[in-house]
Amino acid sequence: MTPIQPSRRPLAPEAERLNVAGLPVEWRPDRESVRLRMFNPEDSRLFVPRLFGAGWDVNLGAVAVRLGLLRPDDTLADLAGYVPQHTATALRVLPWIGAASAVATAARGWRAASRFPTNWDATFRPSSFGPPLLALGIPAVLAVGIALWSTTPRAPALIAKPADPTADDDTPAALDLAHAQRGGLPAATNAPRASEDVAAPPQDPDEPTASTPDDDASVDILRHAIASGTAFAAAAVIAVSVASARAPRKRNPWILAAVGAYPTITAGLTVGALRSALANVRTTLRGQGS
Amino acid sequence: MAGKRSESPSQLRKGVLDLAVLTILARTPTYGGDLLESLAERPGLHITSGTLYPLLTRLRASGLIEATWQESPVGPPRKFYALTTKGRRTHADLIAQWRELSAAMNHLLEEHR
């Protein structure tokens, strides 16, 4: 029986950040170590330096662990290669559904009023207004932009790669490209393909394996989850703005739900993908055992 | 001064945690939760998951341990950690260093009692 190994390749150490007046400042949101920071179950800190800009973000991975939804070592890096095909497809499509919802909601509400709320006070009443281009157009463009970002060619981010156990030096396995070419990894390169719904077990280490960074299974879970969360949150904000424009003096607590949609959807999709990957690993293990 | 004194034990413990984890894994491969329990049985080595998992990640990144998915009787599959060849060599080196160090320290402490 070939053991199924977690498809991790160790992350490069996090590069130094700028600190301004005690606040961490981040300007490289597409770096793997930065991106994974906002969903890192191994890190027990609830607040981590922001993905982009100054300040801190919530570590949604730590929240998921505290809620008992994941274990601390259920990491994206280890499980990305085992995400089933149908989950990977859904993750790719969702940002576009969110973006389409945002555009459709903005188009439908465009003529509902001449001024739309752009801000709400602590009692959920609209506190400032702007033209539709500002209140509806910008969130819609943001939703489309983030959906586009989610489809840009993938960096070799979550292509996992285990440490070479036979290596004598301390070189991080991530740099050991020869190992990848030998096929001795159960990572994204050996992950489930479109034609199969379970992760393929690691191949014979002596057998060469083609490296396929665009393999359907090596979906960048977090990027698609972030894009989906942002696009659906933008659609929700637009819907709330249109509703508040129709009744500008009324409180609209739905704005809270609209803003909360971003972390909820991002974390929910990531946890869901990881759990489906775990189920996939279990199916494969049972298949090997029978 | 008081702060420095209170930091010392945790710094000492931090230094031996790698050896403690490698020693448990040298006996038998196991998963994170079991490692936490094994360490908790020894009061001086009790650590939280917030310390253990980053440590396991670091040991994996150094190629000293590897992980394998194994079925769990309860819940989803678990990641079992085991020593690699390099890890076994490092473990043996660390044991030798520890013995030498602890003998020297015991000797020193006896002299100054």
Side-chain angles (χ1 to χ4, degrees), chain A residues 3-6 8 10 42 44 71-75 78-79 82 163-165 167-170 172-173 278 281-282 285-286, chain B residues 32 49-51 53-54 57 60-63 65-72 75-79 81 84-87 89:
Chain A
I4 294 191
Q5 294 179 322
R8 167 185 285 275
E42 282 178 313
S44 58
R71 299 162 300 186
D73 55 354
D74 290 335
T75 57
D78 275 342
L79 286 163
Y82 293 103
D164 184 344
D168 273 321
D169 57 19
D170 284 334
L278 281 167
V281 170
R282 176 154 51 183
L285 285 169
R286 286 187 177 162
Chain B
S49 60
T51 303
Y53 288 101
T57 300
R60 282 178 74 189
S62 307
I65 62 171
E66 60 188 348
T68 313
W69 291 113
Q70 290 195 20
E71 272 209 87
S72 157
R78 288 170 174 151
K79 238 183 264 175
Y81 300 93
T84 60
T85 310
K86 182 183 175 186
R89 280 200 300 267

Side-chain angles (χ1 to χ4, degrees), chain A residues 108-125:
Chain A
R108 218 172 42 233
W110 201 269
R111 295 185 190 282
S114 57
R115 310 278 292 167
F116 290 82
T118 53
N119 205 5
W120 285 259
D121 63 19
T123 64
F124 308 118
R125 283 198 174 89

Side-chain angles (χ1 to χ4, degrees), chain A residues 91-117:
Chain A
L91 280 171
R92 279 199 197 86
V93 171
L94 275 172
W96 287 106
I97 294 176
S101 309
V103 171
T105 312
R108 218 172 42 233
W110 201 269
R111 295 185 190 282
S114 57
R115 310 278 292 167
F116 290 82

Side-chain angles (χ1 to χ4, degrees), chain A residues 235-257:
Chain A
V237 166
I238 293 169
V240 172
S241 187
V242 171
S244 283
R246 287 179 174 137
R249 290 173 197 280
K250 276 183 72 176
R251 289 179 183 181
N252 195 339
W254 284 105
I255 189 62
L256 203 62

